[in-house]
């Protein structure tokens, strides 16, 4: 099966590229390879590539910048997604799209189900929500939307690498403790994407690692594992702070844990691991990559 991944430089696209095998040829296309703003161009490109399935791992993910860069956020997170859905429908190939916990308001106080009402707080979440709706309106019969959260990888820029760099250079850190979610290693998310495509899963689903954490909890675990693996040389104080103490352009959901039970039932072959287990695995891989 030849799988076309939309996206080339991002961490999920990179993890997807690592899953290439004799069973699954995986080709990643960047912005210079495919014009996402025109359906005809997408359709022609997918035909030329002889795509048997498409995974959209591209997105406008600069949450704060999106508040002032509205047109570009919607162009990539909504219009391009709708165009991809139209092209996949024209070619009758399955389509998997990655969405986000930011489509939710964050005040439910319990894990969000795929069918819960969406109430995005900012441009990023609203643009991703519109992308979801365009898929649902256009190609519900052979499309799968996977919402996820707090994604990181050995590749690219992410919270884990940022924290490690700050822990090496700063005397102390303050990290937000009142935003609750679940970190997700992109390696597992990539496997879930491929499984959804090859098993022809439809509808909206949730995938993250298991467990619950604040950004503060996440940072504390990064420091603990970093010291254990020798990625860090010294302990620095990490202080919990509130969202109000660290104002940002975009509002973020206070509680955005996603309920994965339906997806686990749909794809019983998937393995769901605790976020701290996955974090240890990623940081071990990160250490192995260092000279």
């Amino acid at each position: 099966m030849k799988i076309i991944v939309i996206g080339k430089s991002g961490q999920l696209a990179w993890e997807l590229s690592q899953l290439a095998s004799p069973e699954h040829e995986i080709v990643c296309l960047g912005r210079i390879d495919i014009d996402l703003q025109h359906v005809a161009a997408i359709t022609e490109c997918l035909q030329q590539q002889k795509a048997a399935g498409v995974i959209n791992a591209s997105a406008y993910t600069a949450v704060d910048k999106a508040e002032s860069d509205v047109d570009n956020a919607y162009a990539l997170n909504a219009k391009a997604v709708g165009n991809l859905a139209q092209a996949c429908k024209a070619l009758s190939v399955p389509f998997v799209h990655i969405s986000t916990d930011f489509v939710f308001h964050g005040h439910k106080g319990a894990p969000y189900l795929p069918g819960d009402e969406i109430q995005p707080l900012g441009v990023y979440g609203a643009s991703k929500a519109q992308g979801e709706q365009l898929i649902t309106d256009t190609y519900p019969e052979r499309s799968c939307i996977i919402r996820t959260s707090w994604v990181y990888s050995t590749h690219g820029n992410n919270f884990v690498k940022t924290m490690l760099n700050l822990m090496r250079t700063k005397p102390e850190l303050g990290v937000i403790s009142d935003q609750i979610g679940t970190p997700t290693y992109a390696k597992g998310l990539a496997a879930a994407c491929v499984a959804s495509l090859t098993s022809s899963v439809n509808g909206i689903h949730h995938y993250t690692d298991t467990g619950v954490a604040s950004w503060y909890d996440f940072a504390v675990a990064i420091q603990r594992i970093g010291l254990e693996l020798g990625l860090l040389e010294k302990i620095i104080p990490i202080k919990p702070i509130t969202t109000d103490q660290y104002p940002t352009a975009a509002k973020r959901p206070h509680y955005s844990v996603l309920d994965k039970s339906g997806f686990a039932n749909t794809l019983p072959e998937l393995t769901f691991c605790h976020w701290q287990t996955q974090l240890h695995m990623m940081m071990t891989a990160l250490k192995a990559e260092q000279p």
Side-chain angles (χ1 to χ4, degrees):
M1 182 179 191
K2 186 173 185 179
I3 298 171
I4 300 301
V5 173
I6 307 300
K8 203 168 190 176
S9 59
Q11 50 193 0
L12 177 56
W14 186 85
E15 294 288 357
L16 282 161
S17 73
Q18 305 306 296
L19 297 179
S21 68
E23 292 80 27
H24 305 305
E25 181 184 357
I26 296 178
V27 176
C28 296
L29 302 179
R31 295 184 188 185
I32 63 170
D33 304 311
I34 186 168
D35 177 5
L36 297 179
Q37 295 304 306
H38 298 92
V39 178
I42 297 170
T43 306
E44 182 181 358
C45 181
L46 295 180
Q47 279 181 317
Q48 289 175 348
Q49 291 286 343
K50 296 180 171 58
V54 175
I55 298 172
N56 183 28
S58 70
Y60 187 109
T61 57
V63 175
D64 292 315
K65 187 180 177 183
E67 293 298 308
S68 58
D69 193 21
V70 178
D71 289 347
N72 284 325
Y74 273 90
L76 192 53
N77 291 345
K79 183 183 178 183
V81 175
N83 290 346
L84 282 164
Q86 289 183 57
C88 288
K89 182 173 184 176
L91 299 174
S92 193
V93 297
F95 179 43
V96 172
H97 171 71
I98 303 303
S99 193
T100 175
D101 58 327
F102 273 54
V103 300
F104 295 115
H105 190 280
H107 289 168
K108 181 183 177 182
Y112 280 96
L113 295 161
D116 284 341
E117 181 182 3
I118 60 173
Q119 291 180 291
L121 295 172
V123 171
Y124 168 67
S127 63
K128 293 292 286 183
Q130 188 175 109
E132 289 186 7
Q133 190 61 54
L134 288 168
I135 294 171
T136 302
D137 290 345
T138 303
Y139 196 34
E141 62 272 22
R142 296 197 74 188
S143 63
C144 175
I145 297 166
I146 302 175
R147 296 186 185 127
T148 190
S149 66
W150 300 21
V151 178
Y152 63 90
S153 165
T154 57
H155 179 83
N157 299 316
N158 52 64
F159 184 78
V160 178
K161 291 170 136 185
T162 298
M163 286 296 107
L164 286 171
N165 288 333
L166 291 174
M167 288 168 186
R168 292 177 185 126
T169 58
K170 299 291 184 181
E172 66 176 37
L173 288 178
V175 183
I176 290 173
S177 62
D178 60 352
Q179 291 175 20
I180 310 298
T182 307
T184 305
Y185 186 10
K187 186 173 185 176
L189 177 60
C193 291
V194 173
S196 300
L197 196 69
T198 57
S199 300
S200 300
V201 175
N202 296 335
I204 300 176
H205 301 273
H206 290 166
Y207 179 91
T208 67
D209 292 326
T210 63
V212 176
S214 66
W215 291 108
Y216 169 78
D217 297 328
F218 197 4
V220 168
I222 291 165
Q223 180 170 248
R224 175 180 56 78
I225 297 169
L227 290 164
E228 175 191 329
L229 296 176
L231 289 165
L232 296 171
E233 295 180 353
K234 65 182 189 300
I235 297 173
I236 65 165
I238 305 173
K239 299 179 179 179
I241 62 173
T242 65
T243 299
D244 291 342
Q245 291 175 276
Y246 189 76
T248 55
K251 292 182 179 180
R252 288 157 167 78
H254 282 289
Y255 183 97
S256 59
V257 178
L258 301 176
D259 187 308
K260 281 92 50 189
S261 57
F263 201 34
N265 292 332
T266 300
L267 289 173
E269 68 269 27
L270 282 184
T271 301
F272 289 83
C273 298
H274 194 274
W275 68 266
Q276 293 202 39
T277 302
Q278 295 291 79
L279 177 62
H280 195 286
M281 183 185 299
M282 176 273 194
M283 292 179 68
T284 300
L286 196 62
K287 180 177 174 62
E289 291 179 5
Q290 292 193 343

